[in-house]
Amino acid sequence: MKKIQLKSRAKINLSLDVLGKRPDGYHEVKMIMQEIDLYDNIILVEKRHEDSIKIISECPYIPKDRTNIAYRAAEVLKKNFDISWGVNIYIEKNIPVAAGMAGGSSNAAAVLKGLNTLWDLKLTQQQLMDIGITIGADVPFCIMGGAAIAEGMGEKLTPIEGLRNTWILVAKPSISVSTAEVYSRLDLEKINKKPDTEKLLEAMERGDLYALSHNMVNVLETVTLKQHPIIKELKRKMMEYQALGSMMSGSGPTVFGIYKDYKKAKSAKNNLAIINKQTFLIQSYSKGNKDE
Ligand code: ATP
């Protein structure tokens, strides 16, 4: 019985801009994505005598049926390549669910990569990414890992040099935010501050965390900060606890803070964890997923 274990890492957005709405209803975005070292553990165990796909997880917040995006990833490969074997997918969840950190997309990416090995499909990374986009807009980035500019629906990727030696404090408040609702409430006319991607990229290239932190913009905050004052409060707290900058990731509600100095970050984590249960201190992850 063959099995394979993979780390399924989360991402944060260092910027998020919405350029417009397409006729099909999707929004055209431009964002800087950064993989971080907060991960779910995924174990794939092949079943040669059964052909079913099974999701096994103790996490109560994710579906265990075919609506789980990791299930869909396995199903697509099984159908496309006519695989008659089954697989058990164990998901140990650490990434907060529905948080703006692409937890589900990352699980789907890990399943595609893992089954490529387990089923000996010999697909290239680009082929896996082409399959990934049929499952979800963030899946190709999660397959590629590292850091990238994402355009289109989020699937047009340009790899960039990511953050190194950077501490990221992540706080997920205990509220739920629907991505679809945030986008539907977004009024493009009312956005007066947009991210300057070039400026952010230059700051990243120079390793200038101060300039990066001061220029991060997520236009979706115009919706969520008004609706959920806790997001604004977490950002304020992070700045009070000496973050270089703080912003909401994706459509929220997760807030992150950037730190160069580990001691400051650790002290901020200890303080914030008192008022916000899901608080994590991790590092950025810029090597891509080449070790798996
Ligand atoms: P993104 O940043 O890509 O918008 P997210 O972090 O906001 O993603 P997810 O954690 O991926 O959101 O979860 C979104 C929804 O998908 C949840 O309602 C969850 O129940 C469902 N879901 C399905 N499969 C998974 C999975 N394997 N892990 C997490 N959520 C899943």
Side-chain angles (χ1 to χ4, degrees):
M1 190 170 60
K2 278 206 282 180
K3 71 175 190 177
I4 191 163
Q5 179 160 2
L6 302 106
K7 286 181 179 172
S8 166
R9 291 192 179 82
K11 61 88 186 161
I12 53 171
N13 294 92
L14 298 174
S15 70
L16 195 159
D17 196 7
V18 178
L19 307 178
K21 200 171 173 185
R22 306 192 323 190
D24 62 5
Y26 282 103
H27 285 87
E28 194 81 31
V29 294
K30 182 166 186 177
M31 46 199 188
I32 300 180
M33 317 269 273
Q34 170 69 56
E35 186 177 15
I36 58 173
D37 210 11
L38 172 63
Y39 54 85
D40 296 339
N41 286 307
I42 306 279
I43 301 174
L44 306 173
V45 181
E46 73 167 16
K47 296 187 288 184
R48 294 239 166 171
H49 305 292
E50 262 181 74
D51 82 341
S52 62
I53 299 166
K54 206 166 158 193
I55 301 284
I56 301 142
S57 178
E58 286 182 6
C59 174
Y61 309 113
I62 60 168
K64 313 293 181 302
D65 58 11
R66 63 179 347 118
T67 61
N68 192 301
I69 185 169
Y71 184 109
R72 293 213 304 278
E75 192 176 45
V76 166
L77 282 190
K78 208 166 137 47
K79 279 195 182 140
N80 286 8
F81 298 95
D82 212 10
I83 304 288
S84 54
W85 307 315
V87 62
N88 282 346
I89 304 172
Y90 295 82
I91 304 177
E92 186 193 299
K93 264 275 159 213
N94 300 309
I95 305 171
V97 176
M101 286 194 286
S105 306
S106 167
N107 290 174
V111 168
L112 291 179
K113 286 195 286 185
L115 289 181
N116 188 32
T117 306
L118 208 61
W119 289 343
D120 201 21
L121 301 175
K122 297 192 170 64
L123 297 169
T124 62
Q125 177 167 287
Q126 187 56 53
Q127 286 171 316
L128 286 177
M129 286 163 71
D130 293 342
I131 295 170
I133 186 60
T134 66
I135 301 166
D138 285 342
V139 179
F141 171 74
C142 293
I143 290 171
M144 194 180 85
I149 306 168
E151 293 170 276
M153 275 159 49
E155 83 292 2
K156 288 184 196 146
L157 299 168
T158 310
I160 56 170
E161 194 66 37
L163 298 178
R164 291 185 184 276
N165 307 318
T166 307
W167 290 97
I168 317 273
L169 184 60
V170 170
K172 154 76 171 53
S174 53
I175 52 166
S176 293
V177 169
S178 147
T179 303
E181 197 190 323
V182 172
Y183 274 97
S184 73
R185 283 178 184 264
L186 183 69
D187 186 347
L188 291 172
E189 308 284 306
K190 289 217 174 99
I191 297 170
N192 47 27
K193 200 171 168 206
K194 286 180 151 282
D196 181 339
T197 307
E198 281 314 308
K199 209 171 186 177
L200 287 163
L201 292 177
E202 277 167 29
M204 287 175 82
E205 261 167 40
R206 291 198 309 272
D208 186 346
L209 285 183
Y210 188 81
L212 171 76
S213 299
H214 282 256
N215 286 289
M216 296 188 304
V217 178
N218 178 347
V219 299
L220 299 182
E221 285 187 347
T222 56
V223 178
T224 52
L225 259 52
K226 269 191 228 123
Q227 277 192 306
H228 304 286
I230 181 70
I231 298 176
K232 202 170 180 180
E233 177 59 11
L234 282 174
K235 284 182 62 171
R236 196 188 62 74
K237 281 271 174 207
M238 286 208 188
M239 295 312 288
E240 185 186 317
Y241 297 141
Q242 294 184 286
L244 295 172
S246 176
M247 197 172 77
M248 181 182 81
S249 182
S251 54
T254 297
V255 171
F256 66 89
I258 295 203
Y259 292 83
K260 179 88 186 154
D261 184 278
Y262 173 71
K263 272 195 193 150
K264 282 183 189 164
K266 183 80 177 102
S267 151
K269 195 230 156 181
N270 292 345
N271 282 317
L272 210 60
I274 299 168
I275 57 161
N276 190 80
K277 195 168 152 251
Q278 284 190 289
T279 299
F280 312 86
L281 179 60
I282 58 256
Q283 282 197 294
S284 54
Y285 189 82
S286 285
K287 286 174 286 197
N289 284 348
K290 294 186 186 75
D291 56 335
E292 278 131 33

